Amino acid sequence: NRILVAARRRPRPAGLPPSDRLIETALAGLAVTGLVAHGVYYQNSPLFGTVIGIGSRSAQHVYLTFDDGPNARTTPSVLEILSERSAPAAFFMVGDFVLREPDIALQVAKAGHEVGNHTFSHVKLHRRGPARIRSELERTDAAIEQATGRKPRTFRAPHGFRNPFVVPAARRLGYTTFGWSFGVFDTARPGAEEIRRRVRKRLRPGAIILLHDGDGYDPNGDRTQTAEALPGIIDDARAAGYELRPISDLLRK
């Protein structure tokens, strides 16, 4: 009994028990890891800098964007459809492909579409340091300006993956960084009608729509299904009361 009484009278140590402190530390670590993962992998995360992923939700506007070109097989078809339907778009181009297809890059610019930087080699930037990131952006900047006579104003990271060095590098070149509101996995080539259905299902005010006129890892990649789906995508958007607008409306002032 004397032992029990003495134990009850002994003062408790300050703070949490060691097991609770370990749990608290582990939870804090998980929270930080989750936050960093959100910044790296979520294309519109503001953690590493401002990214535009949607336009005004109060206007019936949507925005067409195409990644990974120029592509000799698909980009001219996309341009023809956009011209026939008087629809604006943005093309985020891979610098290496611009050097391969400068005439197509020029056609995009002459048609009045936005030409943006999508890195030189479609590298996943979250795994790269500041020197490589600067090189990827600067080489593409030079390739686009040489081909089109215009300096790019916009940037989109491949897959949307970023780290703390990406947006500052883009900002130094005067770029506005874009994400997207939704993609439809047209790169998986599920069929033109399925691509069209997926876009129609997800239309909403301000949506920046991610499509692909090229394959970021293959200059000859097949994106013809996206081109085949495009007339229906445009028609569906307009039938639903949406106006197709250029992303230049959303550039930083």
Side-chain angles (χ1 to χ4, degrees):
N1 288 340
R2 286 195 299 270
I3 294 172
L4 289 172
V5 170
R8 292 191 187 102
R9 289 176 178 172
R10 189 178 300 152
R12 293 181 180 179
L16 294 170
S19 60
D20 287 355
R21 287 200 296 273
L22 285 172
I23 292 171
E24 188 178 66
T25 300
L27 289 174
L30 286 172
V32 171
T33 300
L35 182 64
V36 171
H38 185 270
V40 169
Y41 297 113
Y42 175 49
Q43 72 272 7
N44 301 328
S45 174
L47 181 63
F48 298 138
T50 301
V51 177
I52 298 175
I54 192 166
S56 172
R57 294 174 177 85
S58 63
Q60 291 290 102
H61 295 165
V62 292
Y63 307 85
L64 291 173
T65 68
F66 295 88
D67 282 10
D68 298 352
N71 176 290
R73 188 174 180 185
T74 305
T75 308
S77 298
V78 169
L79 287 175
E80 183 177 353
I81 294 161
L82 294 173
S83 176
E84 290 172 351
R85 283 167 165 73
S86 300
F91 292 78
F92 291 94
M93 296 187 178
V94 175
D96 182 36
F97 299 168
V98 173
L99 294 182
R100 293 169 183 261
E101 305 289 351
D103 292 343
I104 298 177
L106 179 59
Q107 288 173 31
V108 174
K110 282 187 171 181
H113 302 296
E114 191 74 29
V115 177
N117 189 322
H118 198 48
T119 74
F120 190 81
S121 55
H122 203 257
V123 67
K124 294 174 181 176
L125 294 177
H126 67 302
R127 298 177 178 174
R128 308 300 174 182
R132 176 65 183 277
I133 291 168
R134 285 196 303 271
S135 174
E136 287 283 335
L137 271 61
E138 289 172 358
R139 292 174 72 191
T140 306
D141 187 270
I144 290 173
E145 186 167 12
Q146 180 180 352
T148 69
R150 300 182 191 174
K151 179 176 170 53
R153 303 181 295 175
T154 58
F155 166 73
R156 176 182 278 163
H159 306 285
F161 295 169
R162 291 169 292 122
N163 64 26
F165 308 117
V166 173
V167 172
R171 193 179 299 123
R172 278 193 292 271
L173 289 168
Y175 295 160
T176 298
T177 299
F178 280 86
W180 59 89
S181 305
F182 67 85
V184 294
F185 298 99
D186 56 325
T187 54
R189 301 172 61 201
E193 282 304 311
E194 178 61 14
I195 293 169
R196 176 182 178 179
R197 185 196 68 81
R198 291 176 184 180
V199 174
R200 182 174 63 245
K201 181 179 178 181
R202 301 190 65 182
L203 285 172
R204 64 185 188 272
I208 298 173
I209 303 164
L210 171 63
L211 297 168
H212 296 81
D213 65 320
D215 179 335
Y217 302 104
D218 179 0
N220 301 309
D222 183 0
R223 295 291 179 256
T224 54
Q225 289 185 3
T226 300
E228 291 166 5
L230 185 56
I233 289 171
I234 294 170
D235 293 347
D236 291 343
R238 287 174 170 161
Y242 291 100
E243 180 184 356
L244 297 166
R245 297 292 304 166
I247 65 167
S248 56
D249 288 0
L250 307 178
L251 292 179
R252 290 196 316 262
K253 303 301 182 183

